Amino acid sequence: MTEPAAPLPAEWSRAASCLNCGDTGTGFDETRPATARIIHSCLGGKDAYAVDRQAAAHLEAALPGFAQLAQMNRDWVHRVVAELAAAGVHQFLDLGTGLPHPPYLHEVLGTRHSPPRVVYVDRDAMVVRHALTAYKDPGVAVIHADLTDPDVVLRLGQHHGRLDLDEPVAVVLAAVLHYIDDARVDIAALTRAYTDVLAPGSYLAISHYHRPVPGSEVDHLATAAQAALLDTLGCGWFRTYDQIHSYFAGLSLLGPGLRTLDADAHTKFRTPAGQLLLTGLAHKI
């Protein structure tokens, strides 16, 4: 049985209304944890504060394998974008990109048939500052914007990132939608706002914390992990298969459809936490 996580420091403020939980938009508050810095620390990155590492330990206690889950998700993203690049897609819109951690997405893409065009988007100023320093390659742009405002993101993506919406674009929403409060934002409508304007041949890749069938072997882990996320950051929701499936409305899910990371044949290691992240890739016909 998992031991209960240690109590959280009382001084940690919670920001349930923020997209990037615990983030005010400035990204430099050392007194409370931020999602991007927590995940960065789980990946072994150094651009995190003590409060973020403490929060990561709290989440690991609630969901053993939480840090591995971050790496599994990252591996999945890299496989997906490499496959799409090999298939001829050369434009990528990475929403809620997080702090840079090599290898970078555009490095995974390589040059292929033509230089890739990658637009990284995040609302956390710390993420944007580090990304602007790290990403110097041609064809790469960094945009400081909130992904819940698709009109602004797409306008800036075209202007600064030279995205051509008349050509296929792969939209990547990797482990970010579960930090959006669906009481405030219609997430299915949000994803549709992006994909509706994309050209045929475009793709949507999503990974999302998954609420398994009640009473299943890992259902209690999802409950404990969601409680820890809400305590730590003020947001972070595990959603059902049907809810996550609705985020691909109007698109054709590629085989084998939605699946957990633990079921992925490419996964290097197995952990119960791997059953709690659902992934999918869909194509616009």
Side-chain angles (χ1 to χ4, degrees):
M1 179 178 295
T2 303
E3 292 296 324
L8 289 169
E11 66 272 16
W12 284 7
S13 59
R14 285 135 188 160
S17 63
C18 290
L19 171 62
N20 295 328
C21 320
D23 161 39
T24 63
T26 66
F28 298 102
D29 188 347
E30 298 183 38
T31 66
R32 64 181 185 181
T35 308
R37 300 196 306 260
I38 290 172
I39 298 303
H40 186 67
S41 68
C42 288
L43 296 172
K46 305 302 182 184
D47 297 316
Y49 303 133
V51 70
D52 303 304
R53 292 187 286 272
Q54 185 180 358
H58 178 74
L59 293 169
E60 181 72 26
L63 179 61
F66 177 79
Q68 287 182 329
L69 191 61
Q71 184 61 59
M72 292 166 71
N73 176 69
R74 180 176 167 81
D75 292 344
W76 171 79
V77 172
H78 286 178
R79 286 195 302 273
V80 166
V81 298
E83 290 170 5
L84 293 180
V89 179
H90 67 275
Q91 297 189 108
F92 293 81
L93 180 60
D94 187 13
L95 300 173
T97 183
L99 282 164
H101 190 86
Y104 308 135
L105 186 148
H106 60 274
E107 293 176 333
V108 173
L109 293 172
T111 55
R112 304 289 176 177
H113 304 295
S114 61
R117 190 172 299 161
V118 180
V119 177
Y120 296 100
V121 179
D122 210 289
R123 74 176 297 276
D124 185 330
M126 180 176 181
V127 168
V128 172
R129 178 176 176 177
H130 282 259
L132 287 170
T133 300
Y135 304 153
K136 299 296 188 182
D137 301 62
V140 174
V142 179
I143 293 174
H144 189 194
D146 190 326
L147 70 86
T148 62
D149 193 342
D151 290 340
V152 169
V153 169
L154 290 169
R155 175 170 54 82
L156 294 176
Q158 292 174 86
H159 181 71
H160 295 290
R162 297 184 294 110
L163 281 182
D164 183 353
L165 299 186
D166 292 325
E167 296 293 330
V169 176
V171 176
V172 179
L173 283 157
V176 65
L177 291 177
H178 45 236
Y179 295 119
I180 298 177
D181 187 349
D182 58 5
R184 298 171 178 268
V185 177
D186 183 336
I187 299 175
L190 173 64
T191 56
R192 191 70 183 256
Y194 282 102
T195 58
D196 274 353
V197 301
L198 300 182
S202 295
Y203 291 86
L204 175 64
I206 293 175
S207 57
H208 193 295
Y209 288 148
H210 175 226
R211 167 71 65 182
V213 177
S216 64
E217 182 182 356
V218 292
D219 179 44
H220 70 286
L221 285 177
T223 299
Q226 177 170 295
L229 283 166
L230 293 175
D231 280 347
T232 306
L233 296 168
C235 55
W237 291 272
F238 285 67
R239 298 189 172 112
T240 67
Y241 180 99
D242 289 343
Q243 286 176 300
I244 299 169
H245 189 275
S246 73
Y247 304 158
F248 294 95
L251 306 176
S252 176
L253 267 168
L254 302 184
L258 292 180
R259 62 178 173 179
T260 63
L261 280 176
D262 202 58
D264 192 328
H266 297 281
T267 299
K268 299 174 184 176
F269 43 80
R270 296 289 186 267
T271 172
Q275 300 178 49
L276 298 179
L277 196 75
L278 209 58
T279 65
L281 176 65
H283 185 218
K284 184 172 183 178
I285 306 299

